[in-house]
Amino acid sequence: MIVIMKPGVTTSQMSNVIARIEQMGCQTHISEGEERTIIGIIGNGRPLDREQIQRMAGVDRTVPILRPFKLASRDFHPQDTVVKVNGVAIGGRQLAVMAGPCAVESTDQLLETARAVKEAGAHMLRGGAFKPRTSPYSFQGMGEEGLKILAAARQETGLPVVTEVMEPQMVPLVSAYADVLQIGARNMQNYSLLHAVGEAQRPVLLKRGMMCTIEELLMAAEYILSHGNDRVALCERGIRTFERYTRNTLDISAVPLLKQLSHLPVIVDPSHGTGRWELVEAVSRAAVAAGADGLLIEVHPRPEEAVSDGAQSLKPARFAALMEGLRPIAEAVGRTL
Ligand code: PEP
Ligand code: MN
């Protein structure tokens, strides 16, 4: 970081700033120009809190050199991270497709879906047992019963299970059944939950908050990584804009941008990204073409009966057609399905 001092800065202001920088465990390099004095901070390897320096007397402004996220940044980790989940890799040459219902509703519903998505070539099974619903009157999920059904479906199909955890206290319970802990959009900035999944040492699928920037998403990933849990996959699931024809606006540019800024794998969720099943196939193709490492897709055997997100859920046959249609796109960008 570089600190640009105000014109006419006093010696005591200079020494206060230098003392504060040294207290932070850093060294300084002073450069006195005709008009301005500039202090270069030689860091201790960690991004600095600019605010502490910025509001000191005599300081005009600070200019960061490092990005505020370090562990998530490609600058310090040039090679792609491949997150390994019970025999499935997220981030390698092979795409990772996670499919299943929005919510686990019953043993029959989940097993029927799990068999169908496996048959169509999905690599993991998704399904919510704890659901973050806008209304307290909507179905809240089957809880532990739902987790048991997910585990039974894994047992039968061999598909690893991705499911959401909403509270820090629930991390041990959900970890006992799930292969990947999903952090939902609404919880992306729930820092105590991020600490808890960081401690859990389980693969995490971190969804972008619907009103969060890319930098905020990477800072949320940084929380998990800073606990030594390096198995994090990022998920673009659409953000809120003024557009009303779609549930969210899927930010396709987030895919190549995240891949540029970070070594973490990037998954796209075209179901929540659009809210409309008719758009899911085209957006899935766009995501793969843009360099996504995988997809998270809602599939329900009878979407008209779904207790949540039926409008964006694909019937199994449509999901199978989507997978077939993805093959040539995957091949064109050097990936396999
Ligand atoms: C989900 O995956 O079912 C879900 C609730 O997603 P999001 O957190 O992205 O809304
Ligand atoms: Mn859903």
Side-chain angles (χ1 to χ4, degrees):
M1 181 162 91
I2 290 169
V3 186
I4 303 167
M5 305 305 289
K6 286 187 174 146
V9 61
T10 66
T11 329
S12 78
Q13 287 171 339
M14 277 297 289
S15 27
N16 285 343
V17 173
I18 292 168
R20 177 70 65 89
I21 294 168
E22 286 172 354
Q23 267 168 22
M24 293 164 89
C26 302
Q27 290 169 300
T28 55
H29 179 273
I30 318 286
S31 139
E32 282 186 49
E34 293 236 326
E35 319 244 335
R36 296 294 187 99
T37 300
I38 289 173
I39 308 177
I41 304 184
I42 302 150
N44 57 6
R46 286 180 35 204
L48 292 173
D49 184 355
R50 284 168 71 192
E51 273 183 44
Q52 281 197 39
I53 303 289
Q54 203 143 291
R55 53 171 193 260
M56 291 188 74
V59 173
D60 180 8
R61 61 189 194 276
T62 58
V63 182
I65 306 288
L66 291 183
R67 299 189 195 283
F69 46 90
K70 184 171 184 194
L71 301 171
S73 166
R74 214 182 254 288
D75 295 346
F76 297 95
H77 190 303
Q79 72 283 20
D80 286 336
T81 283
V82 178
V83 174
K84 301 227 168 73
V85 183
N86 282 352
V88 175
I90 313 176
R93 202 173 114 75
Q94 156 116 43
L95 296 172
V97 178
M98 310 162 194
C102 179
V104 180
E105 298 169 8
S106 67
T107 303
D108 287 350
Q109 170 249 17
L110 191 75
L111 282 177
E112 186 179 351
T113 316
R115 288 176 194 134
V117 299
K118 159 114 189 184
E119 171 76 22
H123 309 96
M124 290 193 222
L125 176 65
R126 65 143 290 149
F130 296 95
K131 295 304 302 175
R133 306 305 300 278
T134 303
S135 165
Y137 309 116
S138 301
F139 176 67
Q140 303 288 309
M142 291 183 76
E144 187 170 1
E145 195 49 40
L147 296 175
K148 288 185 177 156
I149 297 173
L150 284 164
R154 170 181 50 211
Q155 176 80 18
E156 189 193 306
T157 60
L159 296 175
V161 162
V162 186
T163 197
E164 178 162 357
V165 57
M166 288 174 24
E167 298 161 62
Q169 315 84 275
M170 296 304 246
V171 170
L173 176 75
V174 179
S175 301
Y177 296 95
D179 299 285
V180 178
L181 301 174
Q182 176 173 322
I183 301 293
R186 291 156 191 80
N187 270 319
M188 189 204 87
Q189 289 182 310
N190 180 339
Y191 298 113
S192 40
L193 183 59
L194 299 178
H195 278 296
V197 297
E199 294 285 335
Q201 305 297 331
R202 276 297 171 119
V204 176
L205 181 69
L206 177 64
K207 298 189 91 175
R208 178 178 181 181
M210 60 188 89
M211 281 154 309
C212 292
T213 64
I214 287 185
E215 189 158 294
E216 286 163 341
L217 170 61
L218 291 167
M219 293 306 286
E222 193 79 8
Y223 266 86
I224 303 170
L225 297 167
S226 69
H227 284 271
N229 185 353
D230 55 4
R231 290 191 289 171
V232 179
L234 307 168
C235 180
E236 164 58 38
R237 48 78 73 205
I239 50 175
R240 280 240 166 123
T241 68
F242 47 78
E243 181 50 57
R244 301 269 42 100
Y245 276 112
T246 46
R247 179 175 177 183
N248 291 289
T249 297
L250 190 110
D251 180 5
I252 199 78
S253 66
V255 178
L257 186 53
L258 285 168
K259 300 288 299 178
Q260 235 172 60
L261 292 169
S262 177
H263 52 90
L264 298 173
V266 178
I267 301 296
V268 167
D269 173 351
S271 307
H272 295 86
T274 62
R276 298 173 64 147
W277 69 266
E278 324 90 272
L279 305 181
V280 168
E281 181 170 0
V283 174
S284 299
R285 288 150 71 148
V288 170
D293 296 298
L295 297 164
L296 182 72
I297 299 179
E298 287 185 340
V299 178
H300 195 289
R302 288 162 297 280
E304 60 288 353
E305 291 172 18
V307 295
S308 68
D309 289 350
Q312 66 194 35
S313 299
L314 295 180
K315 289 182 181 160
R318 290 218 178 256
F319 174 69
L322 175 153
M323 290 293 278
E324 277 317 302
L326 276 183
R327 277 180 214 289
I329 316 267
E331 234 169 77
V333 293
R335 311 294 287 257
T336 54
L337 193 57

